[in-house]
Amino acid sequence: MAQPLALVLNVPEALGDQDQEPSPYEESEVHDSFHQLIQEQSQLAEEELELQQRQLVAGTLGVPGSGHQTLLGSEGAPVHSAATLRILASMPSRTIGRSRGAIISQYYNRTVKLRRRGSRPLLGDMVRSARPSLRLYDLELGPRALEEDEKQGLLVKELQGLSVVQRDHMLRGMPLNLAEKRCLREKSQIQRGKRRARQDRGGVFSCCSRLRYACILALHSLGLALLSGLHAARPWRHTLKQIGGQFGSSVLSYFLFLKTLLAFNALLLLLLLGLLAGVQAALPPGPPDPAPAFTGLELLTGGGCFTHTVMYYGYYSNATLNQPCVPPRDGHQCSPGASSLPYNMPLAYLFTMGAAFFITCISLVYRPPSPCPSLLVPSMSHAFGESYRVGSTKGVHAITVFCSWDYKVTEKRASRLQQDNIRTQLKELLAEWQLHRSPQSLRGRLRRAVLLGLAWLLCLGTMLGCSVAVFVFSEVTIQSPESAGQEARLLALPLVVSLLNLGASYLFRGLAALERHESPGLEVYVSICRNLILKMAILGILCYHWLGRRVAALQGQCWEDFVGQELYRFMVMDFLFALLDTLFGELVWRLISERKLKRRRKPEFDIARNVLDLIYGQTLTWLGVLFSPLLPAVQVLRLLLLFLVKKASLMANCQAPRRPWLASHMSTVFLTLLCFPSFLGAAIFLCYAVWQVKPSSTCGPFRTLDTMYEAGRVWVRHLESAGPGASWVPWLHRYLVESTFFLFLASALLLAIIYFNIQVVKGQRKVISLLKEQIRNEGEDKIFLINRLHSVYERKERSRAHRNEEAVMPSALLADGGDSWWDSEGPCRLPQHPQLRSVTTSWQAETRI
């Protein structure tokens, strides 16, 4: 009895916690939990014994149909026989966790959890009689548990003979939980440590080995500390869960999209800062010109002292940086400190921009698998895979109810957030499930069609009017002369565009309220579509204004710097209008509604307008990255401030949507709009600027070339003249870059891949439908087998009852008639045979006595 108890209570020795013992209160909790487990085991045995007794009584009494007929309960549900219930109770799904090994394992886990607590009194300070004892229970391990312990010991011995890498690889591949793997690793490391201590008893480790081991541990700890610090410094650490629990997935999708844009801009900024801005700042092109005094207006206009910095295109050199200089003809010496590693700035500028856009495109469309997906940028393919899975989404209500809770949550705040999140998810699922189209009459449908037509005509007229206004005002700004002292006039065009965007968005929102869409999701999608058309039309007119009209008007000047500053002004003005809209559109309206109108209703968060503002700002960033390489830094700062301001305003001034709805495809729609209208349009704009527009002759790395793309051709010609060692680079440029055949071949391969993927998806859908049909047939087979099993046991019980009746009543007694056995107490007559009559009379007398 003592040996199994020692095996169970040997947890602290395995965990290395020998100096700490549980308090009497904690050990009493273990006592009560183990007592509860034993009671569950005994209750299961009593239920099984009760089923056997019911069957035995039914067979003894000979009641036909007892114990084997399928009766109807109080609710009309079938009550199976004892035999059927016994078979169902012995199924694997009903016996999981009921074995003694599972009880010991659960008690072991609870004991480990209690003994890991750090704040506990020492056991030696307690009175020995105050400690509850577990010796009253029979904890003898069975042969199966002893066999498992023996196998575990053999496995530890096998692991001791392997190297560290082989042992870790084998432990990763084992189908065990993390606790068991950790226990095996600790046991094998302890034994190896003892063996090494015995082997190295005669000598000591060298100083270099100890120092190297200490440095490795220090670097590992520093890396873990940095990762944990970065994880804790994220502004959305707990905010996203709180927003999702209080406001639902529709509002949460906006903040998730903002987080995605922040990741894209951080990736773009790292490339441009490391390959362009950092290199040019370390090796400036020449003596800097005297910068104008800082007035504060530069934060709005982007000019002034910011003009001659690495922020804009005109500051970058058109020479090869760090190139060994040739002594000049006038006899002056070269400047010392020149290195032998040249850096061609025009080529680096062109290739860095191309690589940045290529990496951004790959990140948008496709994301490769990684062991740490949280550090990667969400992609459109991943979003489509999550939203539009092959097959239906039936059973999501049951999954949300039974599988949503995270049992690793231990804090009260986290558990409360998880409760709010699950409750909001259930509201959204039920709202979408109950959403149905009410039947309308012909007159009602006609009235609704007329209303929708008028609303769309008004929206299209507003878009056309805003586009014409932007075009006319841009022409006025080109024709009006600009003076050096009137930089505030440069804010006129961004101010007009921001006003038109804000006013049109409020008009679209009012029209959406008048239309009264049945689905809140449809209302959001319609608003997104209208705002998107307006913003894309305005951006198209502005692109023509910058690359068409401004380039011609600024001949002899650095038009690239002007375009970069113009895009900077547009971003700053859009951010200021977002702050003003948050202040007056949400805070002031909430104060007026609560104090003046005496209403408790707060304004709802406008998802469509806020999301389109994010896409609009990101499009401006991609349009201006060629002319202002540090514009992604401005966008990162803008997004961080927007996240904090919108979060605070949402918590204080907004309420949850009155009609909850499930935004299952919202993130996918946002990424799609970010990829095709936004990124594709910015890529076309920049390709036209690189291939067709002549650069300025007074600034920038391409000042002596006809086009920016000419820098690549110059480099290829330089490689051709350098020697045969690099002749493959001109060949690649000639047959892959400038060849139309390769372009058509790549397009054909892309179309073929898309076609095969479509066919694969169709095949997967067909296989899924077949598997669903097979699962349905297997369920019907199980029901059929249970019914047949029930009928077999029913016939068996009937035959057994019939045999019992024949054994109790002889055939001779059934054949003859006569007087009754009990003179006046029974319906049966006494038999007429004299011998049987005498025997029956004597048996009757004995029975009465």
Side-chain angles (χ1 to χ4, degrees):
M1 180 64 194
Q3 184 177 0
L5 185 62
L7 289 174
V8 173
L9 298 178
N10 200 15
V11 178
E13 298 180 2
L15 297 174
D17 194 11
Q18 300 177 0
D19 55 344
Q20 294 181 352
E21 291 288 335
S23 63
Y25 175 74
E26 294 171 347
E27 197 167 10
S28 65
E29 290 182 355
V30 179
H31 183 278
D32 295 337
S33 62
F34 192 59
H35 180 65
Q36 182 181 359
L37 292 172
I38 295 296
Q39 285 182 349
E40 291 178 0
Q41 181 78 4
S42 61
Q43 184 179 1
L44 180 66
E46 290 176 359
E47 291 177 357
E48 188 173 355
L49 182 60
E50 184 180 355
L51 291 175
Q52 294 178 1
Q53 290 177 355
R54 286 173 55 188
Q55 182 182 3
L56 182 60
V57 170
T60 304
L61 294 177
V63 180
S66 298
H68 57 271
Q69 288 184 353
T70 303
L71 304 177
L72 293 178
S74 59
E75 301 294 334
V79 180
H80 297 287
S81 64
T84 306
L85 290 175
R86 186 170 63 252
I87 292 175
L88 294 175
S90 63
M91 291 175 63
S93 60
R94 306 292 181 91
T95 58
I96 294 177
R98 296 297 184 178
S99 62
R100 186 174 294 273
I103 292 177
I104 299 300
S105 176
Q106 189 171 358
Y107 168 70
Y108 173 81
N109 294 332
R110 293 183 182 181
T111 309
V112 169
K113 188 181 298 183
L114 289 175
R115 292 183 184 240
R116 282 182 179 176
R117 298 177 182 175
S119 59
R120 59 182 69 172
L122 295 176
L123 194 61
D125 300 337
M126 299 296 170
V127 182
R128 198 170 184 82
S129 60
R131 297 173 56 190
S133 177
L134 300 177
R135 296 179 180 178
L136 298 176
Y137 298 102
D138 188 9
L139 299 179
E140 295 183 359
L141 299 178
R144 185 174 180 181
L146 296 177
E147 185 180 357
E148 291 180 358
D149 292 339
E150 183 179 0
K151 290 181 180 179
Q152 185 178 5
L154 294 176
L155 180 59
V156 170
K157 291 181 180 179
E158 291 292 334
L159 293 174
Q160 292 172 5
L162 300 177
S163 61
V164 179
V165 179
Q166 293 177 350
R167 184 173 67 249
D168 293 340
H169 181 71
M170 182 174 291
L171 285 174
R172 289 193 195 100
M174 289 181 181
L176 301 174
N177 55 31
L178 292 178
E180 294 176 353
K181 291 182 180 180
R182 190 179 297 113
C183 181
L184 290 174
R185 182 181 288 107
E186 290 176 356
K187 287 184 179 180
S188 60
Q189 288 177 353
I190 291 173
Q191 298 295 334
R192 291 174 65 89
K194 293 181 181 179
R195 185 179 301 176
R196 287 182 179 178
R198 289 194 299 267
Q199 291 177 357
D200 298 334
R201 191 171 295 173
V204 295
F205 287 110
S206 63
C207 182
C208 295
S209 299
R210 292 181 179 179
L211 182 61
R212 181 170 60 87
Y213 186 69
C215 291
I216 291 174
L217 289 180
L219 291 176
H220 183 68
S221 302
L222 180 62
L224 292 178
L226 289 176
L227 287 178
S228 61
L230 290 175
H231 186 268
R234 295 181 304 174
W236 52 81
R237 185 182 180 187
H238 299 292
T239 305
L240 295 180
K241 293 183 180 179
Q242 187 177 4
I243 292 173
Q246 294 184 9
F247 299 93
S249 59
S250 57
V251 180
L252 179 63
S253 61
Y254 167 79
F255 291 91
L256 291 176
F257 185 61
L258 192 149
K259 176 186 170 184
T260 302
L261 292 182
L262 190 61
F264 278 121
N265 287 277
L267 179 63
L268 187 61
L269 179 62
L270 287 177
L271 289 173
L272 299 176
L273 191 63
L275 299 178
L276 285 183
V279 176
Q280 189 65 71
L283 300 170
D289 298 333
F294 180 76
T295 61
L297 190 61
E298 292 86 352
L299 296 177
L300 296 178
T301 61
C305 60
F306 293 155
T307 303
H308 301 286
T309 58
V310 292
M311 186 172 180
Y312 294 110
Y313 165 91
Y315 181 79
Y316 292 86
S317 173
N318 64 332
T320 301
L321 304 181
N322 225 13
Q323 185 179 15
C325 65
V326 179
R329 297 180 181 179
D330 54 3
H332 296 285
Q333 295 181 356
C334 295
S335 60
S339 175
S340 59
L341 183 60
Y343 195 83
N344 193 342
M345 180 52 68
L347 191 65
Y349 201 97
L350 182 64
F351 274 76
T352 302
M353 291 296 170
F357 267 76
F358 181 75
I359 293 174
T360 304
C361 179
I362 295 299
S363 302
L364 267 172
V365 176
Y366 174 72
R367 186 186 72 180
S370 173
C372 188
S374 61
L375 299 178
L376 293 178
V377 178
S379 64
M380 192 174 61
S381 62
H382 179 74
F384 269 101
E386 290 293 330
S387 299
Y388 302 97
R389 292 186 180 273
V390 179
S392 62
T393 57
K394 293 182 179 179
V396 67
H397 301 81
I399 293 175
T400 306
V401 171
F402 296 106
C403 305
S404 296
W405 186 260
D406 187 3
Y407 289 92
K408 295 181 292 184
V409 174
T410 56
E411 299 180 357
K412 288 186 177 180
R413 179 186 178 187
S415 62
R416 192 179 301 111
L417 288 177
Q418 193 168 2
Q419 290 175 4
D420 295 339
N421 196 1
I422 294 175
R423 181 173 63 250
T424 308
Q425 288 181 10
L426 290 175
K427 287 181 181 178
E428 293 174 350
L429 289 172
L430 293 176
E432 186 172 353
W433 180 50
Q434 294 175 356
L435 183 64
H436 62 278
R437 296 181 179 271
S438 57
Q440 295 182 354
S441 61
L442 180 60
R443 183 179 177 181
R445 284 182 289 179
L446 184 60
R447 185 189 304 113
R448 181 171 180 79
V450 171
L451 180 61
L452 291 177
L454 291 176
W456 271 103
L457 285 177
L458 184 57
C459 290
L460 293 177
T462 305
M463 297 172 193
L464 182 61
C466 292
S467 302
V468 172
V470 171
F471 177 76
V472 172
F473 196 81
S474 63
E475 292 294 328
V476 171
T477 56
I478 291 176
Q479 295 175 2
S480 61
E482 297 178 0
S483 59
Q486 296 180 352
E487 292 185 355
R489 294 181 57 184
L490 299 174
L491 297 173
L493 183 60
L495 181 63
V496 170
V497 171
S498 299
L499 278 174
L500 291 176
N501 284 328
L502 184 62
S505 63
Y506 274 103
L507 176 62
F508 296 158
R509 186 176 182 179
L511 291 176
L514 291 177
E515 290 172 344
R516 295 182 181 180
H517 294 281
E518 295 180 357
S519 172
L522 180 61
E523 180 179 345
V524 172
Y525 289 139
V526 170
S527 299
I528 287 176
C529 181
R530 291 169 178 173
N531 285 277
L532 181 67
I533 295 174
L534 173 66
K535 292 183 183 295
M536 290 300 110
I538 292 177
L539 283 176
I541 294 173
L542 291 175
C543 290
Y544 169 74
H545 166 72
W546 291 325
L547 292 187
R549 302 290 293 167
R550 279 295 179 182
V551 173
L554 296 175
Q555 289 295 335
Q557 302 179 21
C558 191
W559 63 267
E560 291 91 351
D561 282 358
F562 178 83
V563 174
Q565 293 173 5
E566 189 84 357
L567 285 161
Y568 173 83
R569 289 190 286 268
F570 270 89
M571 290 184 62
V572 171
M573 194 59 61
D574 182 70
F575 174 70
L576 292 179
F577 269 80
L579 294 182
L580 291 176
D581 175 62
T582 303
L583 177 63
F584 292 101
E586 296 176 0
L587 176 60
V588 176
W589 177 249
R590 195 258 301 178
L591 295 177
I592 293 175
S593 177
E594 289 181 352
R595 298 183 180 180
K596 299 296 182 180
L597 302 179
K598 303 300 182 181
R599 297 178 181 177
R600 295 184 179 180
R601 288 174 51 182
K602 298 180 180 179
E604 295 184 10
F605 190 78
D606 193 352
I607 303 171
R609 180 172 51 81
N610 286 282
V611 167
L612 263 298
D613 288 342
L614 292 180
I615 295 178
Y616 175 73
Q618 186 61 39
T619 308
L620 293 176
T621 304
W622 282 331
L623 290 174
V625 72
L626 180 64
F627 312 108
S628 178
L630 292 185
L631 205 59
V634 180
Q635 175 71 353
V636 168
L637 182 61
R638 175 177 175 268
L639 291 175
L640 286 175
L641 293 177
L642 269 180
F643 185 89
L644 297 176
V645 171
K646 291 293 183 181
K647 180 198 72 172
S649 176
L650 178 70
M651 296 297 178
N653 305 321
C654 298
Q655 67 175 6
R658 291 189 297 271
R659 294 189 299 170
W661 55 284
L662 183 63
S664 57
H665 308 313
M666 191 67 75
S667 299
T668 306
V669 173
F670 294 163
L671 286 176
T672 305
L673 296 177
L674 182 67
C675 182
F676 289 110
S678 178
F679 180 78
L680 185 61
I684 294 173
F685 173 81
L686 294 182
C687 288
Y688 178 78
V690 169
W691 261 274
Q692 296 296 329
V693 183
K694 180 177 175 59
S696 300
S697 58
T698 58
C699 65
F702 309 103
R703 65 189 69 175
T704 59
L705 303 175
D706 294 334
T707 59
M708 297 181 185
Y709 178 71
E710 192 69 24
R713 295 178 179 176
V714 172
W715 177 64
V716 170
R717 289 195 295 266
H718 177 69
L719 289 179
E720 287 180 351
S721 61
S727 59
W728 58 274
V729 178
W731 183 87
L732 290 177
H733 180 267
R734 185 180 303 111
Y735 291 102
L736 295 183
V737 179
E738 294 186 347
S739 177
T740 57
F741 174 75
F742 178 74
L743 179 62
F744 286 118
L745 181 61
S747 302
L749 289 176
L750 180 62
L751 292 176
I753 291 173
I754 293 174
Y755 173 76
F756 285 128
N757 284 331
I758 292 174
Q759 297 300 319
V760 167
V761 170
K762 288 183 179 179
Q764 289 177 352
R765 287 177 178 172
K766 186 175 181 180
V767 169
I768 286 175
S769 62
L770 293 176
L771 290 175
K772 287 183 177 180
E773 185 178 358
Q774 183 178 355
I775 292 173
R776 190 161 52 248
N777 293 334
E778 288 181 356
E780 294 177 357
D781 292 342
K782 290 179 180 179
I783 295 175
F784 172 76
L785 290 175
I786 290 177
N787 292 332
R788 291 300 301 270
L789 182 64
H790 177 72
S791 62
V792 168
Y793 272 94
E794 185 178 354
R795 289 196 300 268
K796 187 176 180 181
E797 292 294 333
R798 287 178 179 176
S799 61
R800 184 182 301 173
H802 184 66
R803 288 196 301 268
N804 291 336
E805 291 178 358
E806 291 180 353
V808 170
M809 186 176 294
S811 58
L813 295 177
L814 294 176
D816 297 334
D819 298 335
S820 63
W821 288 17
W822 319 98
D823 292 334
S824 61
E825 298 179 4
C828 298
R829 305 289 299 174
L830 289 174
Q832 299 296 330
H833 197 276
Q835 295 181 358
L836 290 178
R837 179 182 293 272
S838 61
V839 172
T840 304
T841 305
S842 61
W843 177 77
Q844 179 181 0
E846 292 177 1
T847 305
R848 290 180 177 178
I849 292 173

